[in-house]
Amino acid sequence: MKHDFLTRSLELKESLSKNRRTLHQCPELGTQLPKTSAYVKGRLEDLGYSVQEIPGAGLVTQAGTDTGKRILLRVDMDALPMEEKSGEPFASQVPGCAHTCGHDLHTTLLLGAAQLLKEREPELAGQVKLIFQAGEETLEGAAAMLRAGTLEHPRVDAVLGIHVMPTLPVGHLYYPKGTILSSTDMFEIEVAGKGGHAASPHLAIDPISTAAHIILALQSLQVKAVPPDQNVVLNVCQMESGSATNIIPDQARLWGTLRTFDNQLCRTIQERMKQAVTYTAQALGASAQLRFTEHCPCTYNDPGLAEALAECLTSFGTEFVTQPNYRLQVSDDFGFYSQQVPSVMFLLGCCPEEGKCYPNHNPYVRYNEKILTTGAALLAHCAYEWLRR
Ligand SMILES: [Zn+2]
Ligand SMILES: [Zn+2]
């Protein structure tokens, strides 16, 4: 029998759109997604899947046989804490919460792929593991999934992820080899000085002025510690200190972010930051401590897997425009999987209308639902074909 996931997927258009709009209207945040998880679990069980729920991480299920290779398809399900202004008739019904990153579409795509794969389960040459992950935006879900051993028992051989890109046209699919998304680290700096009267600065140690010197020292690292061919973002974005114009405060606190495209360079910069913070404070008679609070590694597309998927796509039924040199200085906690198992993240264009594209995380962002059928078929086709290779 000719396997044509794309043709079959077109027949599921209505149900895909219904799933997407249902999920879109009830966005949830972080690692607790009770309504979303219940909905996804229900649909999967309707299809004949048995679903495992991992607290704080999401849902896991699988199709296929226990012999042969194993590929994992991972999507995320969580939304963002912001108002939606898309004007869509199916916009968020939850105040202060919206699916502006498109994870409702990701969830729908994998539900569609789950149906397509289930219908051809006897033909699968190996196992497809399906992960519907919570807590992507908070960078917690992937780590929780890995701690739960989802890459093991048995070990998966490849991981495929997908992200919708509303700024790229429909028909564009990018999965360049190498690092595609940056690492992200959040940091916090506590500067301890000595409070006093504003009229007697010589008797105090000013943490605000120390913090200012620290900010400048960090900025100069961005120029002097980064090789010229590398892009690094190092930004202090928040600062807190003081309570009145006539008091020198005791302490100051700074928060910021570090983003790189190279995990080794990331570690090097982190070391240099610690030195810059410690010694700058010391030179001014204060003390300061730098703490990295959250970490997400770079998302790395395995070149061999990317090539194999490109070959799988030659029989997909439609061609995509691709771009071999594309990367974004944003992070996805898909990076955690990609550091452990050969992985590829697909970036799928879904601009709703030329000239009317807003980026992910924008309150006005809209997504083109045309990609629901293509995207579902894409995931199913790639898993099916890759297992046969
Ligand atoms: Zn996002
Ligand atoms: Zn996202």
Side-chain angles (χ1 to χ4, degrees):
M1 190 179 2
K2 186 176 178 292
H3 68 274
D4 186 346
F5 290 111
L6 196 54
T7 308
R8 174 66 184 130
S9 186
L10 285 169
E11 295 168 5
L12 306 178
K13 193 176 161 207
E14 305 271 289
S15 81
L16 291 174
S17 174
K18 178 175 174 268
N19 283 342
R20 189 261 163 145
R21 293 175 181 208
T22 306
L23 293 165
H24 192 87
Q25 282 180 311
C26 66
E28 295 174 297
L29 299 176
T31 53
Q32 303 304 318
L33 314 173
K35 288 180 186 160
T36 310
S37 296
Y39 185 81
V40 172
K41 192 164 180 253
R43 296 291 74 71
L44 289 169
E45 285 171 350
D46 291 346
L47 294 169
Y49 283 95
S50 77
V51 184
Q52 187 196 356
E53 196 158 358
I54 300 171
L59 307 171
V60 184
T61 188
Q62 53 273 315
T65 71
D66 242 358
T67 54
K69 295 195 290 181
R70 292 176 179 83
I71 186 165
L72 190 160
L73 303 179
R74 173 273 196 186
V75 294
D76 40 19
M77 304 192 286
D78 55 325
L80 283 158
M82 60 191 288
E83 288 298 333
E84 175 170 353
K85 296 175 182 168
S86 69
E88 297 281 25
F90 52 88
S92 169
Q93 294 182 349
V94 183
C97 190
H99 265 301
T100 48
C101 203
H103 297 185
D104 54 328
L105 290 102
H106 302 166
T107 307
T108 305
L109 297 183
L110 192 53
L111 278 175
Q115 177 164 359
L116 296 170
L117 291 167
K118 199 67 180 174
E119 289 173 356
R120 295 184 177 274
E121 194 167 26
E123 294 171 46
L124 291 176
Q127 193 182 62
V128 187
K129 219 174 217 187
L130 311 173
I131 284 186
F132 295 82
Q133 190 205 298
E136 190 288 315
E137 295 291 354
T138 55
L139 304 179
E140 297 168 290
M145 271 295 173
L146 298 190
R147 278 198 303 275
T150 45
L151 292 181
E152 312 297 333
H153 327 299
R155 178 88 177 158
V156 302
D157 303 297
V159 181
L160 181 54
I162 192 161
H163 209 297
V164 288
M165 300 298 297
T167 49
L168 300 178
V170 171
H172 286 228
L173 178 73
Y174 300 170
Y175 52 107
K177 296 169 188 167
T179 302
I180 175 170
L181 303 177
S182 70
S183 67
T184 291
D185 285 271
M186 305 294 181
F187 60 86
E188 184 182 49
I189 300 168
E190 275 189 28
V191 184
K194 185 179 156 199
H197 199 290
S200 316
H202 61 294
L203 300 177
I205 297 170
D206 183 355
I208 295 179
S209 137
T210 307
H213 282 276
I214 287 174
I215 293 170
L216 294 176
L218 294 179
Q219 274 180 14
S220 66
L221 275 188
Q222 197 171 353
V223 180
K224 298 296 178 188
V226 178
D229 61 342
Q230 293 269 354
N231 294 325
V232 168
V233 167
L234 174 49
N235 260 329
V236 173
C237 302
Q238 196 184 345
M239 183 174 171
E240 195 181 274
S241 185
S243 58
T245 51
N246 59 353
I247 304 167
I248 294 171
D250 264 332
Q251 59 157 334
R253 292 171 81 193
L254 307 170
W255 292 267
T257 180
L258 167 68
R259 288 158 189 258
T260 74
F261 285 110
D262 182 309
N263 290 322
Q264 182 53 48
L265 178 62
C266 176
R267 287 187 284 274
T268 304
I269 302 284
Q270 287 184 343
E271 276 312 305
R272 296 285 301 268
M273 286 174 69
K274 280 181 194 158
Q275 293 167 356
V277 168
T278 306
Y279 297 130
T280 303
Q282 269 183 25
L284 297 165
S287 65
Q289 274 217 325
L290 167 70
R291 270 194 331 121
F292 288 94
T293 51
E294 281 160 52
H295 169 70
C296 179
C298 302
T299 289
Y300 179 79
N301 279 351
D302 180 77
L305 181 60
E307 226 153 84
L309 292 171
E311 284 169 29
C312 293
L313 283 173
T314 56
S315 59
F316 180 54
T318 184
E319 278 188 26
F320 291 103
V321 178
T322 64
Q323 164 64 264
N325 301 310
Y326 189 82
R327 59 184 194 179
L328 293 167
Q329 203 135 23
V330 297
S331 295
D332 190 298
D333 74 357
F334 186 76
F336 283 101
Y337 303 89
S338 79
Q339 298 301 316
Q340 299 211 14
V341 173
S343 300
V344 160
M345 170 160 275
F346 281 148
L347 301 177
L348 182 63
C350 60
C351 171
E353 219 178 317
E354 214 191 315
K356 291 187 179 168
C357 300
Y358 291 94
N360 307 76
H361 292 215
N362 185 292
Y364 295 96
V365 68
R366 290 186 299 124
Y367 296 87
N368 198 324
E369 284 194 350
K370 265 189 199 162
I371 59 98
L372 292 178
T373 50
T374 332
L378 176 71
L379 293 177
H381 178 89
C382 285
Y384 180 101
E385 285 294 331
W386 185 81
L387 288 175
R388 282 158 53 99
R389 294 169 61 82

